[in-house]
Amino acid sequence: KDLAKQINQKEVHWGLLEDSVEERMEKALSDSDRAEAESKDADAEDNNKKKSSEGGKQGGSLNKKLKKDKLVGPTGKNTKSETSMVSAAPRVKPELTLPATPVEVEQSILEDLRNRAQLNNLALPSVSFYTFLNTHNGLNCSSISNDGSLVVGGFSDSSVKVWDMAKIGQPAKTPSSQGENGSSQGEHLSSTSEGKKPYTLFQGHSGPVYSAAFSPFGDFLLSSSSDSTIRLWSTKLNANLVCYKGHNYPVWDVQFSPVGHYFASASHDRTARIWSMDKIQPLRIMAGHLADVDCVQWHVNCNYIATGSSDKTVRLWDVQTGECIRMFIGHRSMVLSLAMSPDGRYMASGDEDGTIMMWDLSTGRCVSPLAGHNSCVWSLAFSCEGALLASGSADCTVKLWDVASSTKALKMDDTKAGSTNRLRLLKALPTKSTPVYNLRFSRRNLLFASGALSL
C-alpha cells in the first residue's frame, strides 16, 4: 500500500487527444451545417465548446447532437446532461506518432456518429448476441469487429476462425438458424457436406489461442497463444502477415490501440509489452506485476495502458517511459477484464469473484465497488457517451450499470472517499446457458456480445 501511495502521486493526463478524427470531423461537419442553419448552429457550437454534456436531451439541431456524438467516438465524451461525467475533458498531446486515418474510414465513422443512439439510464441499448454452438469446450476467446460484421473465435486446437456475418447461412446450412438473440455461428469442425465452410480458418499458432482482437477498422486481426507468440492476420487477404516473438510464456491477452497500428500484450511472464505493427520487437516492456498479467487495455488517448494481474492489482503504465504511474489495490482475486470510459477519466475492472470496481485515474481511488456477478467477469464495455457500463460474466448474464448517476454523486461529494457509492444495476440480461466471453459497443451504441453455448 505504501508503494501504491508513492506511485499514485505521479501525474496522469487523462484527457482526450487533440485533433482526433472525431474532433476534425466535428469541425468539418459544423462548417457544412453552418451553411444550412447559420444562427442555430453557431449557438450549438458555443454551447458545445463550453459544455459537451449540456442539453443533449431534446436533441436540438443535428449539429448539436452530432457534436456531442463526435466527442464520444473511440475517444469519447459525454453527451447527455444526465451523464455529466465531464463538462469538458481536457485535451492532451499524443506521445506516440499516430497513424493517419484513410478518408473512407473517416466517412464511415462520420456516418456512424450521425446515426448514434443516445443511451442513458432510461434508454438502454439493443443487444446483438452471437452464440457459438457445438464448440465442444474448444472456444477460448472471441471478439467482434467494431461494426459487428466480423466475429472471431480462438480455439484450443490452435486455430483462429473468422465468421463474416453477411455470409452466414448463405452457402451452406449452419446447424442452427438463430442463436440466443441473434445470428448463431455454426462451429463446423469437419468440413460441411454442402462444401463451403461458413468461416475463414486461420492456422499458424502451435498452441491454444487465448485472445483475438480486431483493429479499429476491421482490416487486421491479432491473435495470441500459449506458444508465446502473437500473430497479425489480414482479414482482406485472409493471410498471416507477421509473427511477433518476445514473450517467453503464454500470451493471455492482446489489444489494438484505439487508433490501430500499436498494440499491447499481456503474458504469463508477468510483463505487458507495447508493439507496433511494423516492428517485430516490442517497443516497451512493462515489468512490475508479481504474477501473470491477465488482461490489458488502452487508454482512449493512447498515452497509457492498464494491466490487470493475478497479483490482484491493476496498474496504469506510461507508454512513452514504460513506468508504472498508478497502482489500484482493492480486488480480492485475479483481475480478468478492464474497460476505459470514453472521456478517459474512469476505468472499470472485473475480477474472478464477480466484483467490478470503478477507479478514478486522476486520484487512483476506487469510485464505486459493486458486487456484480456471482462468477468471473470476463468482459466490460462502456457505452460511447460513457453513461452505461456493460459487464459480461461466466454466470451467463450481461448486466448494465448506471455510471452517470454514480459519478455525478461523486462530483457533488468530492470530499469523501466515495466508497459508499455503489453503481446502480439497471438491467440484468440472462442468456439461456451461454457464458459471456466478450462485449463491445459499436460506434452507433449497439451492444454486441458473444459466447459459446455450454450444456
Side-chain angles (χ1 to χ4, degrees):
K1 281 198 169 155
D2 294 344
L3 175 67
K5 203 170 260 179
Q6 188 185 329
I7 290 176
N8 293 352
Q9 320 256 277
K10 295 176 184 166
E11 197 178 1
V12 172
H13 303 285
W14 54 265
L16 305 180
L17 282 185
E18 287 177 353
D19 195 35
S20 59
V21 177
E22 288 72 34
E23 210 177 0
R24 285 207 304 280
M25 290 196 296
E26 173 196 343
K27 284 181 187 138
L29 199 82
S30 59
D31 291 346
S32 64
D33 279 3
R34 204 169 289 132
E36 292 166 27
E38 192 79 54
S39 57
K40 253 194 207 165
D41 292 358
D43 259 15
E45 192 178 352
D46 294 344
N47 291 352
N48 237 72
K49 286 277 193 305
K50 289 188 206 107
K51 255 195 184 170
S52 70
S53 57
E54 221 168 61
K57 260 190 212 147
Q58 332 66 337
S61 63
L62 171 72
N63 183 27
K64 207 182 216 180
K65 178 167 177 305
L66 252 167
K67 285 184 89 89
K68 283 184 222 95
D69 290 351
K70 212 45 61 354
L71 297 164
V72 269
T75 61
K77 218 195 283 176
N78 306 337
T79 55
K80 287 272 179 192
S81 45
E82 286 124 52
T83 60
S84 76
M85 269 163 73
V86 223
S87 48
R91 300 283 158 179
V92 297
K93 287 190 161 52
E95 292 176 9
L96 296 168
T97 42
L98 301 181
T101 314
V103 179
E104 61 273 20
V105 171
E106 292 200 357
Q107 292 310 135
S108 77
I109 294 178
L110 184 61
E111 188 57 29
D112 286 341
L113 297 178
R114 276 186 197 280
N115 295 308
R116 170 168 296 156
Q118 293 294 322
L119 301 181
N120 56 30
N121 48 15
L122 303 171
L124 298 181
S126 302
V127 187
S128 174
F129 201 105
Y130 299 100
T131 308
F132 290 78
L133 305 177
N134 311 317
T135 60
H136 311 295
N137 297 333
L139 182 74
N140 293 333
C141 62
S142 103
S143 184
I144 302 161
S145 65
N146 229 321
D147 55 2
S149 61
L150 299 173
V151 174
V152 61
F155 292 86
S156 297
D157 63 2
S158 74
S159 65
V160 175
K161 295 173 185 172
V162 176
W163 283 263
D164 185 336
M165 289 296 110
K167 293 182 187 154
I168 284 238
Q170 283 179 353
K173 290 207 303 281
T174 46
S176 116
S177 55
Q178 275 308 129
E180 274 172 10
N181 267 336
S183 356
S184 86
Q185 281 66 41
E187 215 315 47
H188 297 226
L189 286 173
S190 60
S191 170
T192 52
S193 51
E194 291 90 345
K196 205 139 184 258
K197 291 196 182 77
Y199 55 78
T200 309
L201 176 64
F202 291 134
Q203 283 175 309
H205 284 295
S206 57
V209 177
Y210 290 124
S211 177
F214 286 102
S215 65
F217 313 125
D219 42 356
F220 296 105
L221 172 68
L222 283 169
S223 60
S224 71
S225 158
S226 72
D227 64 13
S228 73
T229 65
I230 300 159
R231 285 181 182 263
L232 178 73
W233 313 84
S234 165
T235 53
K236 301 268 186 290
L237 306 172
N238 292 338
N240 185 205
L241 305 178
V242 194
C243 176
Y244 300 95
K245 296 175 179 172
H247 289 290
N248 308 320
Y249 288 98
V251 184
W252 301 131
D253 194 16
V254 62
Q255 293 290 336
F256 263 110
S257 80
V259 294
H261 189 68
Y262 300 98
F263 59 94
S265 60
S267 165
H268 177 60
D269 64 15
R270 304 181 180 185
T271 66
R273 299 178 191 221
I274 305 270
W275 312 72
S276 74
M277 279 164 53
D278 55 356
K279 293 190 172 54
I280 57 168
Q281 297 298 329
L283 307 178
R284 293 282 179 280
I285 298 179
M286 280 61 174
H289 279 294
L290 309 175
D292 293 38
V293 184
D294 298 302
C295 54
V296 62
Q297 189 63 51
W298 286 82
H299 190 273
V300 289
N301 64 24
C302 302
N303 292 340
Y304 307 104
I305 63 163
T307 53
S309 164
S310 297
D311 67 11
K312 306 175 190 173
T313 66
V314 180
R315 295 178 191 229
L316 190 71
W317 308 83
D318 187 314
V319 166
Q320 202 55 45
T321 61
E323 68 170 333
C324 175
I325 51 170
R326 283 285 177 276
M327 190 162 155
F328 305 96
I329 300 176
H331 283 287
R332 302 214 174 127
S333 59
M334 57 203 261
V335 181
L336 299 175
S337 53
L338 295 166
M340 292 284 181
S341 70
D343 58 14
R345 174 153 188 200
Y346 299 101
M347 174 179 69
S349 55
D351 68 19
E352 197 182 23
D353 294 343
T355 308
I356 302 165
M357 300 183 105
M358 208 155 89
W359 307 90
D360 185 328
L361 294 186
S362 48
T363 61
R365 285 199 311 228
C366 179
V367 180
S368 43
L370 52 151
H373 294 270
N374 44 33
S375 187
C376 316
V377 179
W378 278 336
S379 187
L380 291 165
F382 279 92
S383 63
C384 295
E385 71 297 294
L388 304 178
L389 174 68
S391 59
S393 163
D395 65 11
C396 303
T397 58
V398 173
K399 291 190 175 181
L400 297 169
W401 307 88
D402 184 359
V403 173
S405 50
S406 55
T407 45
K408 197 173 182 181
L410 180 79
K411 278 278 183 307
M412 295 170 184
D413 193 15
D414 235 344
T415 49
K416 297 206 179 99
S419 55
T420 51
N421 183 21
R422 300 245 157 192
L423 274 194
R424 189 159 68 94
L425 176 65
L426 294 172
K427 197 165 176 99
L429 304 161
T431 61
K432 284 175 195 151
S433 176
T434 304
V436 184
Y437 285 40
N438 183 258
L439 290 172
R440 114 156 305 148
F441 277 94
S442 74
R443 286 197 195 93
R444 299 188 180 193
N445 256 338
L446 172 65
L447 178 57
F448 295 116
S450 63
L453 190 68
S454 68
L455 298 170

